[in-house]
Amino acid sequence: MKSPVVLLSEQEIQTRVDELAAQISADYADVDELVMVGVLKGAFIFLADLSRRLTVPRTIEFIAVSSYGRGSKSTGAVRLVMDVRGNIEGKHVLIVEDIVDTAHTLKYLIGMLASHRPASVKTCALVRKAERAEVDVEVDYLGFDIGDEWVVGYGLDYAERDRTLPYIGVVTPDD
Ligand code: IMP
């Protein structure tokens, strides 16, 4: 496979993460605990950078899901692989996703976490492929909208490769 072609540089990502952190810190200024729920595996780098830049008290949880019909085609059926460990009842929850593609995962997660009866549930995603949306889900804090292309880096992978690149790049699988 050819090397990824840079779509969002390390500097562009870092600047946007700073902006999102400032916005989230302002919005939750009066909250005594924000529970950030990272969606494994892809959100681990974004969550690490974002969480360290917040100025409000926060705790970290992780959740893992898998969708049936893997690859670049999602069937829309999402399965919970690992739930949050802590009790989130009555707390303010922010779901931190790497990328929103068809939006089935985020829709499922909002419903699933809401069933734990938190005080609020909001969503944050670094990247969204707006034109691929199959369900309508609001992203409260969005890094970037991109086109319909497969991207890697900054936590995102293609068959487990390229997750740790500092930038986000487009890959084109070999024919
Ligand atoms: P959705 O349920 O279709 O929104 O899919 C979301 C999940 O698909 C993400 O959390 C990623 O794991 C994966 N995904 C979708 N597009 C990409 C991409 O371009 N690169 C890497 N992972 C992707």
Side-chain angles (χ1 to χ4, degrees), residues 16-26 49-50 53-55:
R16 191 73 189 110
V17 174
D18 278 340
E19 291 168 357
L20 291 172
Q23 199 186 338
I24 294 166
S25 296
D49 282 351
L50 185 67
R53 292 174 202 184
L54 295 191
T55 56

Side-chain angles (χ1 to χ4, degrees), residues 70 97-99 101-105 129 149-151 157:
R70 224 35 237 166
E97 255 276 44
D98 47 357
I99 189 164
D101 184 13
T102 62
H104 286 293
T105 304
K129 298 182 193 174
E149 42 206 358
W150 197 264
V151 286
D157 74 309

Side-chain angles (χ1 to χ4, degrees), residues 24 33-39 46-52 54 56-63 84 92-96 124:
I24 294 166
E33 182 187 349
L34 174 64
V35 184
M36 304 180 79
V37 178
V39 185
F46 179 40
L47 178 68
D49 282 351
L50 185 67
S51 62
R52 287 180 294 175
L54 295 191
V56 293
R58 62 277 190 193
T59 55
I60 306 296
E61 292 284 344
F62 284 104
I63 208 161
V84 288
H92 294 279
V93 169
L94 180 64
I95 302 172
V96 180
C124 175

Side-chain angles (χ1 to χ4, degrees), residues 57-135:
R58 62 277 190 193
T59 55
I60 306 296
E61 292 284 344
F62 284 104
I63 208 161
V65 289
S66 76
S67 25
Y68 293 107
R70 224 35 237 166
S72 48
K73 277 266 176 293
S74 169
T75 58
V78 181
R79 184 168 61 95
L80 185 67
V81 173
M82 188 186 89
D83 203 347
V84 288
R85 295 231 184 141
N87 182 6
I88 59 167
E89 188 172 342
K91 295 185 179 163
H92 294 279
V93 169
L94 180 64
I95 302 172
V96 180
E97 255 276 44
D98 47 357
I99 189 164
V100 180
D101 184 13
T102 62
H104 286 293
T105 304
L106 199 53
K107 189 179 174 77
Y108 169 82
L109 287 176
I110 293 168
M112 212 283 295
L113 290 167
S115 71
H116 289 269
R117 307 204 305 150
S120 67
V121 180
K122 281 201 192 182
T123 56
C124 175
L126 184 65
V127 178
R128 176 176 65 185
K129 298 182 193 174
E131 68 198 66
R132 298 249 317 152
E134 289 177 7
V135 284

